[in-house]
Amino acid sequence: MSAAVDRLRMTVARRTEADIILSPAWCALPLVGAIISIAIIIWALLTVGMAGIMDVYYLILLASIIPFVLGLYLLYMLIKRRNTHFKRTQDLFTDLVATLREASAEKGVDVSGQLSLIERYLSEARMEETEKSPVLWIILCLIPIVNIFAILYVLYFLMRDWYRHERREDDMWAQVNSALTALGYRPIDTRRPEPMPHRSFFVYLIIYIVLSFLAGLGLIWLIYWLYTLIKDPNNHMTSQARIEDDLMLALGATPTAPPTPPAVA
């Protein structure tokens, strides 16, 4: 089983690059951009006597897009880590199936039922968790009118895909534990201290619209929205790191990756 375990160990080790924990402070990027924008506008208005009217106009126009650009940069990072984590997780379960199949042959224990279910979930994941091009979506978010729908869709699939990913993954871990038990290994601890909540995109959108038009607090809600898009996957990947380490220990292989993914300041 060493060759299969080695491949599995390397896939686990890839999480140091693929599973990036983002600091929740990143959600404040639009607010920081707004503060910078206001400061530039105030400075431009105060110096209108020394500068030409058109110079002030262009300066204010440039300042007004700073929050938007910073927000798009955050969306780029969120899309990119979605892609890298989903791909590594698919590779992880592919290697795990090969490991368990090899152990099944060595021990003469039939776990084909459990492996078939894992492969079915994997097939669903490959169809639903296709890669989303960060560059393409950011370009679409820059095109007037189109950007409204593009940004909304990015927020939608970031909420939807992570929730479905965790539910599917939990189902696969249940089958892995069933197979491990049948093969004589101890089951691994797959509990998540903070399971990913089912957040409704449409509820979040309605709240944003209401707060924007009635109270002028749309930016505050958007920051919270971005915070959930950072925090929920952070919790998911931290739990998965612990589960993977426990898996390697159960299989008799020492994990090569740290217990938790690296944080981005």
Side-chain angles (χ1 to χ4, degrees), residues 142-190:
L142 290 171
I143 301 174
I145 300 178
V146 173
N147 59 0
I148 298 174
F149 301 98
I151 292 172
L152 289 177
Y153 183 67
V154 169
L155 294 174
Y156 170 72
F157 73 66
L158 286 175
M159 296 180 75
R160 177 201 63 187
D161 291 358
W162 279 102
Y163 177 77
R164 291 182 177 179
H165 173 79
E166 183 167 290
R167 298 283 75 76
R168 182 182 295 111
E169 187 177 301
D170 286 343
D171 289 336
M172 288 193 285
W173 284 126
Q175 296 304 317
V176 168
N177 262 339
S178 177
L180 288 173
T181 302
L183 292 169
Y185 297 102
R186 68 167 176 82
I188 59 176
D189 183 4
T190 60

mmCIF file of all heavy atoms in Angstrom, residues 142-190:
data_model
loop_
_atom_site.group_PDB
_atom_site.id
_atom_site.type_symbol
_atom_site.label_atom_id
_atom_site.label_comp_id
_atom_site.label_asym_id
_atom_site.label_seq_id
_atom_site.Cartn_x
_atom_site.Cartn_y
_atom_site.Cartn_z
ATOM 1 N N LEU A 142 -15.819 44.242 -14.765
ATOM 2 C CA LEU A 142 -15.381 45.582 -15.138
ATOM 3 C C LEU A 142 -16.212 46.186 -16.257
ATOM 4 O O LEU A 142 -16.138 47.393 -16.517
ATOM 5 C CB LEU A 142 -13.905 45.544 -15.571
ATOM 6 C CG LEU A 142 -12.873 45.280 -14.466
ATOM 7 C CD1 LEU A 142 -11.498 45.046 -15.072
ATOM 8 C CD2 LEU A 142 -12.838 46.431 -13.473
ATOM 9 N N ILE A 143 -17.014 45.372 -16.936
ATOM 10 C CA ILE A 143 -17.809 45.846 -18.075
ATOM 11 C C ILE A 143 -19.108 46.482 -17.563
ATOM 12 O O ILE A 143 -19.863 45.828 -16.839
ATOM 13 C CB ILE A 143 -18.138 44.689 -19.038
ATOM 14 C CG1 ILE A 143 -16.848 44.044 -19.549
ATOM 15 C CG2 ILE A 143 -18.985 45.183 -20.198
ATOM 16 C CD1 ILE A 143 -17.072 42.811 -20.396
ATOM 17 N N PRO A 144 -19.367 47.746 -17.907
ATOM 18 C CA PRO A 144 -20.589 48.406 -17.440
ATOM 19 C C PRO A 144 -21.845 47.592 -17.763
ATOM 20 O O PRO A 144 -21.934 46.954 -18.808
ATOM 21 C CB PRO A 144 -20.580 49.745 -18.209
ATOM 22 C CG PRO A 144 -19.127 49.987 -18.484
ATOM 23 C CD PRO A 144 -18.534 48.625 -18.745
ATOM 24 N N ILE A 145 -22.799 47.623 -16.860
ATOM 25 C CA ILE A 145 -24.081 46.913 -16.926
ATOM 26 C C ILE A 145 -23.865 45.408 -16.731
ATOM 27 O O ILE A 145 -24.478 44.796 -15.848
ATOM 28 C CB ILE A 145 -24.841 47.171 -18.244
ATOM 29 C CG1 ILE A 145 -25.138 48.671 -18.391
ATOM 30 C CG2 ILE A 145 -26.145 46.361 -18.268
ATOM 31 C CD1 ILE A 145 -25.848 49.047 -19.673
ATOM 32 N N VAL A 146 -22.980 44.814 -17.538
ATOM 33 C CA VAL A 146 -22.671 43.390 -17.365
ATOM 34 C C VAL A 146 -22.116 43.134 -15.974
ATOM 35 O O VAL A 146 -22.382 42.090 -15.366
ATOM 36 C CB VAL A 146 -21.655 42.920 -18.429
ATOM 37 C CG1 VAL A 146 -21.204 41.488 -18.164
ATOM 38 C CG2 VAL A 146 -22.255 43.046 -19.819
ATOM 39 N N ASN A 147 -21.360 44.118 -15.442
ATOM 40 C CA ASN A 147 -20.710 43.902 -14.154
ATOM 41 C C ASN A 147 -21.708 43.700 -13.010
ATOM 42 O O ASN A 147 -21.419 42.996 -12.041
ATOM 43 C CB ASN A 147 -19.748 45.045 -13.826
ATOM 44 C CG ASN A 147 -20.443 46.398 -13.768
ATOM 45 O OD1 ASN A 147 -21.655 46.513 -13.973
ATOM 46 N ND2 ASN A 147 -19.667 47.422 -13.494
ATOM 47 N N ILE A 148 -22.875 44.283 -13.118
ATOM 48 C CA ILE A 148 -23.884 44.100 -12.061
ATOM 49 C C ILE A 148 -24.240 42.624 -11.920
ATOM 50 O O ILE A 148 -24.225 42.058 -10.824
ATOM 51 C CB ILE A 148 -25.150 44.926 -12.368
ATOM 52 C CG1 ILE A 148 -24.819 46.421 -12.408
ATOM 53 C CG2 ILE A 148 -26.239 44.641 -11.332
ATOM 54 C CD1 ILE A 148 -25.973 47.292 -12.837
ATOM 55 N N PHE A 149 -24.537 41.994 -13.048
ATOM 56 C CA PHE A 149 -24.926 40.585 -13.033
ATOM 57 C C PHE A 149 -23.722 39.683 -12.742
ATOM 58 O O PHE A 149 -23.858 38.658 -12.066
ATOM 59 C CB PHE A 149 -25.566 40.212 -14.370
ATOM 60 C CG PHE A 149 -26.775 41.031 -14.706
ATOM 61 C CD1 PHE A 149 -26.684 42.126 -15.562
ATOM 62 C CD2 PHE A 149 -28.008 40.731 -14.153
ATOM 63 C CE1 PHE A 149 -27.790 42.887 -15.867
ATOM 64 C CE2 PHE A 149 -29.135 41.486 -14.458
ATOM 65 C CZ PHE A 149 -29.024 42.569 -15.317
ATOM 66 N N ALA A 150 -22.544 40.073 -13.228
ATOM 67 C CA ALA A 150 -21.339 39.266 -13.001
ATOM 68 C C ALA A 150 -20.981 39.229 -11.528
ATOM 69 O O ALA A 150 -20.683 38.166 -10.976
ATOM 70 C CB ALA A 150 -20.173 39.825 -13.820
ATOM 71 N N ILE A 151 -20.999 40.392 -10.870
ATOM 72 C CA ILE A 151 -20.670 40.444 -9.442
ATOM 73 C C ILE A 151 -21.672 39.647 -8.627
ATOM 74 O O ILE A 151 -21.297 38.890 -7.718
ATOM 75 C CB ILE A 151 -20.610 41.903 -8.958
ATOM 76 C CG1 ILE A 151 -19.422 42.619 -9.591
ATOM 77 C CG2 ILE A 151 -20.509 41.971 -7.434
ATOM 78 C CD1 ILE A 151 -19.384 44.103 -9.321
ATOM 79 N N LEU A 152 -22.947 39.787 -8.954
ATOM 80 C CA LEU A 152 -23.975 39.037 -8.223
ATOM 81 C C LEU A 152 -23.788 37.536 -8.401
ATOM 82 O O LEU A 152 -23.931 36.764 -7.454
ATOM 83 C CB LEU A 152 -25.368 39.465 -8.692
ATOM 84 C CG LEU A 152 -25.815 40.869 -8.274
ATOM 85 C CD1 LEU A 152 -27.183 41.183 -8.861
ATOM 86 C CD2 LEU A 152 -25.843 41.000 -6.757
ATOM 87 N N TYR A 153 -23.435 37.116 -9.613
ATOM 88 C CA TYR A 153 -23.262 35.686 -9.846
ATOM 89 C C TYR A 153 -22.032 35.156 -9.113
ATOM 90 O O TYR A 153 -22.050 34.036 -8.593
ATOM 91 C CB TYR A 153 -23.154 35.374 -11.334
ATOM 92 C CG TYR A 153 -23.053 33.891 -11.599
ATOM 93 C CD1 TYR A 153 -24.126 33.037 -11.325
ATOM 94 C CD2 TYR A 153 -21.875 33.319 -12.084
ATOM 95 C CE1 TYR A 153 -24.038 31.674 -11.538
ATOM 96 C CE2 TYR A 153 -21.775 31.958 -12.304
ATOM 97 C CZ TYR A 153 -22.854 31.138 -12.023
ATOM 98 O OH TYR A 153 -22.756 29.781 -12.223
ATOM 99 N N VAL A 154 -20.971 35.954 -9.068
ATOM 100 C CA VAL A 154 -19.777 35.532 -8.321
ATOM 101 C C VAL A 154 -20.123 35.338 -6.846
ATOM 102 O O VAL A 154 -19.746 34.331 -6.236
ATOM 103 C CB VAL A 154 -18.637 36.561 -8.480
ATOM 104 C CG1 VAL A 154 -17.501 36.256 -7.492
ATOM 105 C CG2 VAL A 154 -18.102 36.549 -9.906
ATOM 106 N N LEU A 155 -20.840 36.288 -6.272
ATOM 107 C CA LEU A 155 -21.248 36.149 -4.875
ATOM 108 C C LEU A 155 -22.145 34.926 -4.690
ATOM 109 O O LEU A 155 -22.038 34.209 -3.689
ATOM 110 C CB LEU A 155 -21.986 37.410 -4.422
ATOM 111 C CG LEU A 155 -21.159 38.699 -4.364
ATOM 112 C CD1 LEU A 155 -22.066 39.893 -4.047
ATOM 113 C CD2 LEU A 155 -20.049 38.586 -3.335
ATOM 114 N N TYR A 156 -22.993 34.681 -5.679
ATOM 115 C CA TYR A 156 -23.909 33.534 -5.610
ATOM 116 C C TYR A 156 -23.159 32.213 -5.614
ATOM 117 O O TYR A 156 -23.374 31.363 -4.733
ATOM 118 C CB TYR A 156 -24.891 33.586 -6.780
ATOM 119 C CG TYR A 156 -25.717 32.344 -6.950
ATOM 120 C CD1 TYR A 156 -26.738 32.026 -6.055
ATOM 121 C CD2 TYR A 156 -25.464 31.461 -8.006
ATOM 122 C CE1 TYR A 156 -27.488 30.877 -6.209
ATOM 123 C CE2 TYR A 156 -26.212 30.310 -8.166
ATOM 124 C CZ TYR A 156 -27.228 30.023 -7.267
ATOM 125 O OH TYR A 156 -27.959 28.867 -7.422
ATOM 126 N N PHE A 157 -22.249 32.015 -6.589
ATOM 127 C CA PHE A 157 -21.615 30.701 -6.649
ATOM 128 C C PHE A 157 -20.590 30.507 -5.526
ATOM 129 O O PHE A 157 -20.320 29.374 -5.122
ATOM 130 C CB PHE A 157 -21.031 30.400 -8.037
ATOM 131 C CG PHE A 157 -19.775 31.123 -8.443
ATOM 132 C CD1 PHE A 157 -18.563 30.905 -7.797
ATOM 133 C CD2 PHE A 157 -19.786 31.981 -9.543
ATOM 134 C CE1 PHE A 157 -17.405 31.540 -8.211
ATOM 135 C CE2 PHE A 157 -18.627 32.616 -9.964
ATOM 136 C CZ PHE A 157 -17.430 32.394 -9.282
ATOM 137 N N LEU A 158 -20.041 31.601 -4.991
ATOM 138 C CA LEU A 158 -19.143 31.444 -3.846
ATOM 139 C C LEU A 158 -19.907 30.972 -2.609
ATOM 140 O O LEU A 158 -19.382 30.201 -1.806
ATOM 141 C CB LEU A 158 -18.421 32.761 -3.543
ATOM 142 C CG LEU A 158 -17.296 33.154 -4.513
ATOM 143 C CD1 LEU A 158 -16.767 34.536 -4.166
ATOM 144 C CD2 LEU A 158 -16.170 32.122 -4.500
ATOM 145 N N MET A 159 -21.143 31.411 -2.454
ATOM 146 C CA MET A 159 -21.972 30.954 -1.332
ATOM 147 C C MET A 159 -22.464 29.530 -1.572
ATOM 148 O O MET A 159 -22.376 28.668 -0.701
ATOM 149 C CB MET A 159 -23.165 31.892 -1.126
ATOM 150 C CG MET A 159 -22.801 33.305 -0.732
ATOM 151 S SD MET A 159 -24.254 34.361 -0.511
ATOM 152 C CE MET A 159 -24.893 33.783 1.064
ATOM 153 N N ARG A 160 -22.968 29.280 -2.755
ATOM 154 C CA ARG A 160 -23.577 27.980 -3.074
ATOM 155 C C ARG A 160 -22.552 26.853 -3.119
ATOM 156 O O ARG A 160 -22.742 25.786 -2.517
ATOM 157 C CB ARG A 160 -24.287 28.072 -4.414
ATOM 158 C CG ARG A 160 -24.903 26.771 -4.916
ATOM 159 C CD ARG A 160 -25.124 26.818 -6.412
ATOM 160 N NE ARG A 160 -23.859 26.957 -7.141
ATOM 161 C CZ ARG A 160 -23.773 27.161 -8.450
ATOM 162 N NH1 ARG A 160 -24.876 27.265 -9.175
ATOM 163 N NH2 ARG A 160 -22.595 27.268 -9.042
ATOM 164 N N ASP A 161 -21.452 27.077 -3.833
ATOM 165 C CA ASP A 161 -20.505 25.992 -4.100
ATOM 166 C C ASP A 161 -19.823 25.474 -2.843
ATOM 167 O O ASP A 161 -19.630 24.272 -2.689
ATOM 168 C CB ASP A 161 -19.458 26.448 -5.112
ATOM 169 C CG ASP A 161 -20.043 26.659 -6.497
ATOM 170 O OD1 ASP A 161 -21.250 26.417 -6.660
ATOM 171 O OD2 ASP A 161 -19.294 27.071 -7.404
ATOM 172 N N TRP A 162 -19.440 26.388 -1.933
ATOM 173 C CA TRP A 162 -18.765 25.926 -0.704
ATOM 174 C C TRP A 162 -19.705 25.104 0.174
ATOM 175 O O TRP A 162 -19.297 24.096 0.770
ATOM 176 C CB TRP A 162 -18.227 27.114 0.082
ATOM 177 C CG TRP A 162 -16.919 27.635 -0.426
ATOM 178 C CD1 TRP A 162 -16.705 28.742 -1.194
ATOM 179 C CD2 TRP A 162 -15.621 27.059 -0.203
ATOM 180 N NE1 TRP A 162 -15.367 28.888 -1.461
ATOM 181 C CE2 TRP A 162 -14.678 27.879 -0.866
ATOM 182 C CE3 TRP A 162 -15.168 25.941 0.499
ATOM 183 C CZ2 TRP A 162 -13.310 27.613 -0.847
ATOM 184 C CZ3 TRP A 162 -13.805 25.663 0.517
ATOM 185 C CH2 TRP A 162 -12.890 26.489 -0.147
ATOM 186 N N TYR A 163 -20.965 25.530 0.262
ATOM 187 C CA TYR A 163 -21.930 24.784 1.086
ATOM 188 C C TYR A 163 -22.146 23.383 0.520
ATOM 189 O O TYR A 163 -22.089 22.389 1.252
ATOM 190 C CB TYR A 163 -23.261 25.538 1.155
ATOM 191 C CG TYR A 163 -24.314 24.784 1.923
ATOM 192 C CD1 TYR A 163 -24.298 24.736 3.315
ATOM 193 C CD2 TYR A 163 -25.330 24.091 1.257
ATOM 194 C CE1 TYR A 163 -25.260 24.036 4.024
ATOM 195 C CE2 TYR A 163 -26.296 23.392 1.956
ATOM 196 C CZ TYR A 163 -26.252 23.364 3.330
ATOM 197 O OH TYR A 163 -27.199 22.650 4.025
ATOM 198 N N ARG A 164 -22.373 23.293 -0.788
ATOM 199 C CA ARG A 164 -22.575 21.981 -1.412
ATOM 200 C C ARG A 164 -21.317 21.123 -1.307
ATOM 201 O O ARG A 164 -21.395 19.914 -1.121
ATOM 202 C CB ARG A 164 -22.971 22.162 -2.877
ATOM 203 C CG ARG A 164 -24.352 22.762 -3.076
ATOM 204 C CD ARG A 164 -24.688 22.863 -4.560
ATOM 205 N NE ARG A 164 -26.035 23.372 -4.776
ATOM 206 C CZ ARG A 164 -26.569 23.566 -5.968
ATOM 207 N NH1 ARG A 164 -25.865 23.292 -7.063
ATOM 208 N NH2 ARG A 164 -27.791 24.040 -6.094
ATOM 209 N N HIS A 165 -20.170 21.767 -1.436
ATOM 210 C CA HIS A 165 -18.892 21.056 -1.331
ATOM 211 C C HIS A 165 -18.756 20.380 0.028
ATOM 212 O O HIS A 165 -18.380 19.201 0.105
ATOM 213 C CB HIS A 165 -17.750 22.049 -1.557
ATOM 214 C CG HIS A 165 -16.388 21.487 -1.308
ATOM 215 N ND1 HIS A 165 -15.732 20.682 -2.210
ATOM 216 C CD2 HIS A 165 -15.553 21.603 -0.233
ATOM 217 C CE1 HIS A 165 -14.554 20.331 -1.716
ATOM 218 N NE2 HIS A 165 -14.422 20.878 -0.523
ATOM 219 N N GLU A 166 -19.066 21.107 1.086
ATOM 220 C CA GLU A 166 -18.914 20.522 2.421
ATOM 221 C C GLU A 166 -19.922 19.406 2.667
ATOM 222 O O GLU A 166 -19.580 18.376 3.259
ATOM 223 C CB GLU A 166 -19.052 21.597 3.496
ATOM 224 C CG GLU A 166 -18.820 21.049 4.906
ATOM 225 C CD GLU A 166 -18.646 22.132 5.941
ATOM 226 O OE1 GLU A 166 -17.596 22.812 5.907
ATOM 227 O OE2 GLU A 166 -19.548 22.301 6.792
ATOM 228 N N ARG A 167 -21.148 19.577 2.218
ATOM 229 C CA ARG A 167 -22.154 18.527 2.401
ATOM 230 C C ARG A 167 -21.724 17.246 1.671
ATOM 231 O O ARG A 167 -21.828 16.140 2.195
ATOM 232 C CB ARG A 167 -23.523 18.994 1.878
ATOM 233 C CG ARG A 167 -24.101 20.196 2.587
ATOM 234 C CD ARG A 167 -24.710 19.843 3.957
ATOM 235 N NE ARG A 167 -23.707 19.605 4.974
ATOM 236 C CZ ARG A 167 -23.010 20.589 5.577
ATOM 237 N NH1 ARG A 167 -23.214 21.836 5.261
ATOM 238 N NH2 ARG A 167 -22.124 20.299 6.505
ATOM 239 N N ARG A 168 -21.259 17.390 0.436
ATOM 240 C CA ARG A 168 -20.822 16.241 -0.344
ATOM 241 C C ARG A 168 -19.594 15.597 0.305
ATOM 242 O O ARG A 168 -19.495 14.367 0.383
ATOM 243 C CB ARG A 168 -20.508 16.667 -1.776
ATOM 244 C CG ARG A 168 -20.090 15.493 -2.678
ATOM 245 C CD ARG A 168 -19.735 15.963 -4.072
ATOM 246 N NE ARG A 168 -20.881 16.517 -4.767
ATOM 247 C CZ ARG A 168 -21.033 17.799 -5.069
ATOM 248 N NH1 ARG A 168 -20.091 18.664 -4.747
ATOM 249 N NH2 ARG A 168 -22.109 18.231 -5.696
ATOM 250 N N GLU A 169 -18.684 16.420 0.766
ATOM 251 C CA GLU A 169 -17.471 15.895 1.385
ATOM 252 C C GLU A 169 -17.805 15.110 2.654
ATOM 253 O O GLU A 169 -17.207 14.062 2.916
ATOM 254 C CB GLU A 169 -16.518 17.053 1.720
ATOM 255 C CG GLU A 169 -15.155 16.600 2.204
ATOM 256 C CD GLU A 169 -14.236 17.765 2.462
ATOM 257 O OE1 GLU A 169 -13.977 18.538 1.515
ATOM 258 O OE2 GLU A 169 -13.774 17.912 3.612
ATOM 259 N N ASP A 170 -18.746 15.601 3.444
ATOM 260 C CA ASP A 170 -19.143 14.882 4.663
ATOM 261 C C ASP A 170 -19.709 13.505 4.306
ATOM 262 O O ASP A 170 -19.476 12.525 5.025
ATOM 263 C CB ASP A 170 -20.174 15.688 5.448
ATOM 264 C CG ASP A 170 -19.555 16.882 6.166
ATOM 265 O OD1 ASP A 170 -18.314 16.901 6.317
ATOM 266 O OD2 ASP A 170 -20.304 17.789 6.580
ATOM 267 N N ASP A 171 -20.467 13.437 3.222
ATOM 268 C CA ASP A 171 -20.997 12.138 2.774
ATOM 269 C C ASP A 171 -19.855 11.198 2.377
ATOM 270 O O ASP A 171 -19.894 9.995 2.654
ATOM 271 C CB ASP A 171 -21.944 12.327 1.589
ATOM 272 C CG ASP A 171 -23.257 12.990 1.991
ATOM 273 O OD1 ASP A 171 -23.622 12.893 3.184
ATOM 274 O OD2 ASP A 171 -23.908 13.604 1.121
ATOM 275 N N MET A 172 -18.827 11.743 1.736
ATOM 276 C CA MET A 172 -17.690 10.908 1.337
ATOM 277 C C MET A 172 -16.897 10.443 2.545
ATOM 278 O O MET A 172 -16.450 9.294 2.608
ATOM 279 C CB MET A 172 -16.796 11.676 0.353
ATOM 280 C CG MET A 172 -17.417 11.836 -1.029
ATOM 281 S SD MET A 172 -16.250 12.393 -2.311
ATOM 282 C CE MET A 172 -16.080 14.110 -1.888
ATOM 283 N N TRP A 173 -16.708 11.332 3.529
ATOM 284 C CA TRP A 173 -15.989 10.916 4.740
ATOM 285 C C TRP A 173 -16.737 9.806 5.473
ATOM 286 O O TRP A 173 -16.109 8.917 6.063
ATOM 287 C CB TRP A 173 -15.783 12.109 5.672
ATOM 288 C CG TRP A 173 -14.706 13.066 5.269
ATOM 289 C CD1 TRP A 173 -14.817 14.418 5.094
ATOM 290 C CD2 TRP A 173 -13.327 12.752 4.983
ATOM 291 N NE1 TRP A 173 -13.621 14.959 4.724
ATOM 292 C CE2 TRP A 173 -12.687 13.966 4.652
ATOM 293 C CE3 TRP A 173 -12.599 11.564 4.975
ATOM 294 C CZ2 TRP A 173 -11.330 14.020 4.312
ATOM 295 C CZ3 TRP A 173 -11.250 11.621 4.635
ATOM 296 C CH2 TRP A 173 -10.627 12.833 4.314
ATOM 297 N N ALA A 174 -18.069 9.841 5.424
ATOM 298 C CA ALA A 174 -18.849 8.778 6.065
ATOM 299 C C ALA A 174 -18.563 7.432 5.404
ATOM 300 O O ALA A 174 -18.414 6.405 6.084
ATOM 301 C CB ALA A 174 -20.341 9.100 5.994
ATOM 302 N N GLN A 175 -18.460 7.424 4.073
ATOM 303 C CA GLN A 175 -18.143 6.188 3.364
ATOM 304 C C GLN A 175 -16.695 5.762 3.613
ATOM 305 O O GLN A 175 -16.382 4.564 3.699
ATOM 306 C CB GLN A 175 -18.391 6.358 1.870
ATOM 307 C CG GLN A 175 -19.846 6.610 1.518
ATOM 308 C CD GLN A 175 -20.765 5.517 2.046
ATOM 309 O OE1 GLN A 175 -20.455 4.326 1.954
ATOM 310 N NE2 GLN A 175 -21.895 5.924 2.598
ATOM 311 N N VAL A 176 -15.795 6.737 3.742
ATOM 312 C CA VAL A 176 -14.399 6.415 4.062
ATOM 313 C C VAL A 176 -14.324 5.734 5.414
ATOM 314 O O VAL A 176 -13.622 4.718 5.576
ATOM 315 C CB VAL A 176 -13.536 7.705 4.052
ATOM 316 C CG1 VAL A 176 -12.160 7.435 4.673
ATOM 317 C CG2 VAL A 176 -13.385 8.228 2.632
ATOM 318 N N ASN A 177 -15.034 6.253 6.390
ATOM 319 C CA ASN A 177 -15.016 5.643 7.726
ATOM 320 C C ASN A 177 -15.596 4.235 7.705
ATOM 321 O O ASN A 177 -15.114 3.331 8.403
ATOM 322 C CB ASN A 177 -15.785 6.512 8.717
ATOM 323 C CG ASN A 177 -14.856 7.403 9.545
ATOM 324 O OD1 ASN A 177 -13.666 7.127 9.669
ATOM 325 N ND2 ASN A 177 -15.403 8.455 10.115
ATOM 326 N N SER A 178 -16.634 4.047 6.915
ATOM 327 C CA SER A 178 -17.215 2.714 6.790
ATOM 328 C C SER A 178 -16.197 1.737 6.208
ATOM 329 O O SER A 178 -16.058 0.598 6.681
ATOM 330 C CB SER A 178 -18.469 2.768 5.913
ATOM 331 O OG SER A 178 -19.018 1.477 5.711
ATOM 332 N N ALA A 179 -15.476 2.183 5.190
ATOM 333 C CA ALA A 179 -14.460 1.334 4.568
ATOM 334 C C ALA A 179 -13.292 1.079 5.521
ATOM 335 O O ALA A 179 -12.779 -0.042 5.599
ATOM 336 C CB ALA A 179 -13.955 1.984 3.277
ATOM 337 N N LEU A 180 -12.855 2.098 6.236
ATOM 338 C CA LEU A 180 -11.751 1.932 7.186
ATOM 339 C C LEU A 180 -12.100 0.907 8.261
ATOM 340 O O LEU A 180 -11.287 0.047 8.614
ATOM 341 C CB LEU A 180 -11.409 3.274 7.841
ATOM 342 C CG LEU A 180 -10.707 4.321 6.967
ATOM 343 C CD1 LEU A 180 -10.594 5.650 7.720
ATOM 344 C CD2 LEU A 180 -9.311 3.840 6.557
ATOM 345 N N THR A 181 -13.318 1.002 8.764
ATOM 346 C CA THR A 181 -13.755 0.060 9.801
ATOM 347 C C THR A 181 -13.781 -1.364 9.261
ATOM 348 O O THR A 181 -13.328 -2.302 9.926
ATOM 349 C CB THR A 181 -15.150 0.456 10.312
ATOM 350 O OG1 THR A 181 -15.102 1.792 10.828
ATOM 351 C CG2 THR A 181 -15.608 -0.486 11.415
ATOM 352 N N ALA A 182 -14.299 -1.534 8.047
ATOM 353 C CA ALA A 182 -14.358 -2.868 7.447
ATOM 354 C C ALA A 182 -12.962 -3.441 7.208
ATOM 355 O O ALA A 182 -12.759 -4.658 7.301
ATOM 356 C CB ALA A 182 -15.132 -2.806 6.124
ATOM 357 N N LEU A 183 -11.997 -2.566 6.942
ATOM 358 C CA LEU A 183 -10.629 -3.012 6.667
ATOM 359 C C LEU A 183 -9.791 -3.182 7.927
ATOM 360 O O LEU A 183 -8.619 -3.566 7.845
ATOM 361 C CB LEU A 183 -9.947 -2.002 5.733
ATOM 362 C CG LEU A 183 -10.498 -1.945 4.307
ATOM 363 C CD1 LEU A 183 -9.943 -0.732 3.568
ATOM 364 C CD2 LEU A 183 -10.168 -3.229 3.547
ATOM 365 N N GLY A 184 -10.388 -2.900 9.077
ATOM 366 C CA GLY A 184 -9.667 -3.097 10.335
ATOM 367 C C GLY A 184 -8.959 -1.879 10.864
ATOM 368 O O GLY A 184 -8.218 -1.973 11.853
ATOM 369 N N TYR A 185 -9.143 -0.720 10.222
ATOM 370 C CA TYR A 185 -8.558 0.515 10.722
ATOM 371 C C TYR A 185 -9.550 1.191 11.661
ATOM 372 O O TYR A 185 -10.752 0.932 11.609
ATOM 373 C CB TYR A 185 -8.234 1.475 9.572
ATOM 374 C CG TYR A 185 -7.199 0.966 8.600
ATOM 375 C CD1 TYR A 185 -7.586 0.447 7.358
ATOM 376 C CD2 TYR A 185 -5.845 1.005 8.913
ATOM 377 C CE1 TYR A 185 -6.637 -0.009 6.456
ATOM 378 C CE2 TYR A 185 -4.886 0.550 8.007
ATOM 379 C CZ TYR A 185 -5.293 0.048 6.786
ATOM 380 O OH TYR A 185 -4.359 -0.411 5.904
ATOM 381 N N ARG A 186 -9.049 2.075 12.488
ATOM 382 C CA ARG A 186 -9.957 2.837 13.347
ATOM 383 C C ARG A 186 -10.631 3.921 12.519
ATOM 384 O O ARG A 186 -10.031 4.470 11.584
ATOM 385 C CB ARG A 186 -9.199 3.465 14.518
ATOM 386 C CG ARG A 186 -8.230 4.571 14.123
ATOM 387 C CD ARG A 186 -7.756 5.356 15.331
ATOM 388 N NE ARG A 186 -6.757 6.348 14.986
ATOM 389 C CZ ARG A 186 -7.044 7.557 14.500
ATOM 390 N NH1 ARG A 186 -8.304 7.897 14.286
ATOM 391 N NH2 ARG A 186 -6.066 8.404 14.221
ATOM 392 N N PRO A 187 -11.870 4.263 12.842
ATOM 393 C CA PRO A 187 -12.522 5.372 12.123
ATOM 394 C C PRO A 187 -11.879 6.697 12.509
ATOM 395 O O PRO A 187 -11.314 6.839 13.594
ATOM 396 C CB PRO A 187 -13.980 5.287 12.587
ATOM 397 C CG PRO A 187 -13.908 4.602 13.925
ATOM 398 C CD PRO A 187 -12.761 3.631 13.823
ATOM 399 N N ILE A 188 -11.939 7.660 11.627
ATOM 400 C CA ILE A 188 -11.343 8.965 11.904
ATOM 401 C C ILE A 188 -12.419 9.931 12.386
ATOM 402 O O ILE A 188 -13.616 9.725 12.154
ATOM 403 C CB ILE A 188 -10.650 9.534 10.646
ATOM 404 C CG1 ILE A 188 -11.650 9.680 9.495
ATOM 405 C CG2 ILE A 188 -9.487 8.650 10.241
ATOM 406 C CD1 ILE A 188 -11.067 10.314 8.252
ATOM 407 N N ASP A 189 -11.985 10.972 13.075
ATOM 408 C CA ASP A 189 -12.911 11.969 13.619
ATOM 409 C C ASP A 189 -13.222 12.994 12.532
ATOM 410 O O ASP A 189 -12.362 13.795 12.155
ATOM 411 C CB ASP A 189 -12.279 12.652 14.836
ATOM 412 C CG ASP A 189 -13.232 13.651 15.500
ATOM 413 O OD1 ASP A 189 -14.396 13.745 15.060
ATOM 414 O OD2 ASP A 189 -12.795 14.338 16.443
ATOM 415 N N THR A 190 -14.437 12.975 12.023
ATOM 416 C CA THR A 190 -14.820 13.875 10.927
ATOM 417 C C THR A 190 -15.746 14.991 11.389
ATOM 418 O O THR A 190 -16.341 15.689 10.569
ATOM 419 C CB THR A 190 -15.511 13.081 9.804
ATOM 420 O OG1 THR A 190 -16.692 12.433 10.333
ATOM 421 C CG2 THR A 190 -14.577 12.029 9.228
#
